[in-house]
């Protein structure tokens, strides 16, 4: 919200999302958090939601102990007094693990935090929404710098003049105004010059072979096509069809393989 461009907000936004994930309490449990960054979990809404889900899932349930000490084939039928459960939160002489004890020991999650977390989530949501609305009022987006599209000499697109009543040609509006008539004459001359230099990019029997283990593989197989001057052409196809490969070959950016075929400007 403090950055006026999308590019400027990507780096801090990525760091903030990474902190939200790490200090949720699962990837890095609360007892293992570094003291310098442990404070972040208090403002992490994902952490409060995760704690509530864990309490709702484990609280009041019992799970069979999956690890005993000592363990092995000789202790499968041993008396419970001769072995103990090695799972966090379990009573050493018990054969089951209480879900509440497991959460409190491993994650420091407690059932009494369930409804507290819900209130904190609503409070954080209200605060962040208010902060966002204030930011949209006082932090304006960076304005456009007035970019201008410039064509290379001789590559100007053809502008088709229309005679529609609602879109009259400049010549019709320039009647009675010598200055406007002169500008219209220069514009018409520019259009005529661009038509003389019009060109079409054509490719025919375009192939691209690359070396692979045990031989070669053909990525482009006798591809043909054309692009007209001043037109917008969409290159569409399924994933892996060779769209990027074709563009690299047409732009002379393919650094590997053998390229065959013709590329012409007519």
């Amino acid at each position: 919200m403090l950055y006026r461009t999308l590019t400027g907000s990507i780096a801090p936004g990525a760091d903030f999302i990474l902190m939200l994930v790490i200090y949720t309490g699962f990837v890095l449990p609360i007892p293992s958090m570094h003291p310098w960054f442990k404070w972040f979990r208090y403002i992490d809404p994902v952490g409060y939601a995760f704690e509530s889900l864990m309490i709702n899932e484990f609280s009041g349930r019992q799970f069979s102990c999956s690890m005993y000490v000592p363990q092995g084939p000789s202790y499968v039928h041993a008396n419970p007094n001769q072995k103990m459960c090695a799972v966090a939160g379990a009573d050493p002489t018990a054969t089951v693990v209480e879900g509440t004890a497991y959460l409190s020991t491993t994650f420091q999650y407690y059932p009494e935090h369930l409804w507290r977390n819900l209130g904190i989530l609503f409070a954080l949501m209200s605060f962040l929404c208010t902060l966002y609305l204030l930011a949209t009022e006082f932090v304006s987006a960076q304005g456009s710098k007035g970019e201008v599209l410039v064509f290379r000499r001789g590559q100007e697109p053809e502008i088709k003049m229309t005679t529609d009543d609602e879109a009259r040609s400049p010549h019709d509006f320039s009647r009675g105004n010598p200055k406007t008539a002169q500008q219209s004459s220069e514009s018409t001359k520019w259009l005529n010059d661009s038509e003389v230099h019009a060109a079409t990019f054509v490719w025919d029997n375009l192939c691209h072979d690359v070396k692979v283990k045990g031989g070669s593989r053909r990525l482009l197989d006798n591809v043909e096509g054309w692009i007209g001057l001043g037109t917008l052409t969409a290159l569409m196809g399924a994933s892996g069809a060779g769209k990027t490969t074709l563009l690299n070959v047409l732009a002379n950016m393919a650094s590997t393989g053998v390229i065959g075929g013709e590329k012409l400007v007519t």
Side-chain angles (χ1 to χ4, degrees):
M1 292 182 292
L2 301 179
Y3 297 87
R4 297 189 176 186
T5 61
L6 178 62
T7 305
S9 62
I10 288 178
D15 294 336
F16 187 74
I17 293 175
L18 185 62
M19 293 283 288
L20 288 177
V21 175
I22 293 177
Y23 287 90
T24 296
F26 179 75
V27 177
L28 192 64
I30 295 176
S32 303
M33 292 182 181
H34 196 283
W36 293 356
F37 301 100
K38 194 174 183 178
W39 60 267
F40 190 82
R41 72 182 184 90
Y42 294 106
I43 61 172
D44 187 355
V46 183
Y48 291 108
F50 178 75
E51 181 180 2
S52 298
L53 291 175
M54 292 286 285
I55 293 172
N56 185 69
E57 180 68 23
F58 287 89
S59 182
R61 298 181 60 185
Q62 292 182 341
F63 302 90
S64 300
C65 184
S66 60
M67 183 181 299
Y68 290 93
V69 176
Q71 61 179 347
S74 303
Y75 298 93
V76 174
H77 302 289
N79 192 301
N81 296 327
Q82 298 176 344
K83 60 182 179 179
M84 68 177 185
C85 183
V87 178
D91 189 349
T93 59
T95 58
V96 294
V97 182
E98 294 287 343
T100 304
Y102 172 76
L103 289 179
S104 60
T105 304
T106 306
F107 300 100
Q108 294 185 4
Y109 292 165
Y110 306 98
E112 53 269 21
H113 292 174
L114 181 63
W115 295 105
R116 182 208 68 173
N117 293 344
L118 181 62
I120 293 176
L121 285 175
F122 278 113
L124 286 175
M125 182 177 62
S126 301
F127 172 74
L128 293 176
C129 287
T130 303
L131 184 63
Y132 176 78
L133 293 176
L134 292 175
T136 56
E137 289 292 332
F138 297 101
V139 182
S140 59
Q142 185 176 4
S144 175
K145 298 181 180 179
E147 293 84 355
V148 179
L149 180 61
V150 180
F151 295 93
R152 294 178 60 184
R153 180 175 298 179
Q155 301 295 326
E156 299 87 351
E158 179 182 358
I159 301 178
K160 297 182 179 180
M161 308 301 293
T162 178
T163 57
D164 185 64
D165 293 338
E166 296 181 359
R168 299 170 58 191
S169 64
H171 178 72
D172 297 333
F173 289 102
S174 63
R175 293 177 180 176
N177 190 339
K179 184 177 180 180
T180 307
Q182 182 180 1
Q183 294 176 351
S184 176
S185 177
E186 294 176 355
S187 176
T188 304
K189 181 180 178 181
W190 175 80
L191 290 174
N192 293 334
D193 293 341
S194 65
E195 292 178 357
V196 174
H197 298 285
T200 302
F201 181 39
V202 181
W203 60 92
D204 187 29
N205 295 329
L206 203 61
C207 300
H208 185 201
D209 299 323
V210 296
K211 291 183 178 180
V212 295
K213 185 177 181 180
S216 63
R217 176 176 298 176
R218 172 156 293 187
L219 302 180
L220 298 178
D221 188 9
N222 296 319
V223 180
E224 60 182 16
W226 60 276
I227 299 177
L229 176 67
T231 61
L232 179 63
T233 303
L235 181 60
M236 298 182 295
S239 178
K243 301 182 294 296
T244 305
T245 303
L246 176 60
L247 292 177
N248 289 336
V249 171
L250 293 178
N252 293 329
M253 296 179 61
S255 58
T256 59
V258 179
I259 300 173
E262 296 180 322
K263 292 185 291 184
L264 307 172
V265 177
T266 60

